[in-house]
Amino acid sequence: MSLWGAVGLALPALSACAATRPGTRSYTLPQAELQSLIDRRFPYRRSLSGLLDIALLHPRMRLLPQENRLGTQLDIAVAERVMGTHYDGSMDLDYGIRFEPQDRTIRLVGVRVHRVEFPGVPPAYSQALAQAAPRAAEQLLEGAVLHEVKADQLALLGGLGLAVGEVRVTPQGLRVELVPGLGKP
């Protein structure tokens, strides 16, 4: 189920939700459902300058509520086109979440890579890879779309006089505040 599908199903019950501010309601997407949303975006494949093909695989998400961020460990596969070499490794990163109302997307922001490891890389290349890989991964993932909200789901919220407010990571999952809106998505 999508984040907004879950919010849509929860709309009738929102009147019973505890308000975080006067007129504000919220819905928490549990960690397991959030992991399912992330799983749908993988494998994530990109080509860098036509020289490298990168695949990010098997995301393992964790909540970082004290930082209002999500963390993810990934497997990474890199294929170098010129020499035909292939390396498998892993990466650990964290990122914030932003709702972008203009295109109705939830995006990764402030991506920070903490660790990239490629155990099979020859020593001659490992230092260069260790320096370049985090920057490349951050650039690759910054602004990546985690989920696109359907227009009719936002219209339903607007019709109820609600709009998406703050999206926050909590120990239980991802809390989406629904605040009084102008009646328009």
Side-chain angles (χ1 to χ4, degrees), residues 44-180:
Y44 187 80
R45 299 180 193 281
R46 293 288 298 263
S47 178
L48 293 178
S49 303
L51 299 175
L52 295 175
D53 291 324
I54 298 175
L56 303 177
L57 312 156
H58 313 114
R60 296 166 302 281
M61 189 267 309
R62 65 192 181 284
L63 303 172
L64 304 171
Q66 62 279 20
E67 299 176 41
N68 194 30
R69 296 174 72 79
L70 298 173
T72 303
Q73 292 178 350
L74 302 160
D75 296 331
I76 184 169
V78 176
E80 191 271 326
R81 290 183 179 183
V82 175
M83 300 297 288
T85 54
H86 178 87
Y87 299 107
D88 292 320
S90 62
M91 176 172 40
D92 183 45
L93 57 106
D94 68 64
Y95 45 90
I97 298 290
R98 176 184 74 225
F99 175 67
E100 194 62 54
Q102 292 81 9
D103 64 0
R104 305 177 330 273
T105 57
I106 296 177
R107 294 181 175 269
L108 280 57
V109 295
V111 177
R112 298 184 303 216
V113 174
H114 299 287
R115 179 188 53 79
V116 176
E117 293 177 350
F118 285 94
V121 173
Y125 300 118
S126 62
Q127 184 177 1
L129 189 57
Q131 290 175 346
R135 278 194 313 271
E138 289 168 357
Q139 291 172 355
L140 181 73
L141 294 171
E142 184 68 31
V145 174
L146 178 61
H147 182 68
E148 185 174 339
V149 181
K150 294 178 183 173
D152 62 334
Q153 292 169 328
L154 279 182
L156 178 61
L157 285 176
L160 293 172
L162 298 171
V164 175
E166 182 181 31
V167 178
R168 183 150 199 77
V169 178
T170 71
Q172 293 74 36
L174 193 64
R175 186 182 73 217
V176 179
E177 287 189 6
L178 301 174
V179 298

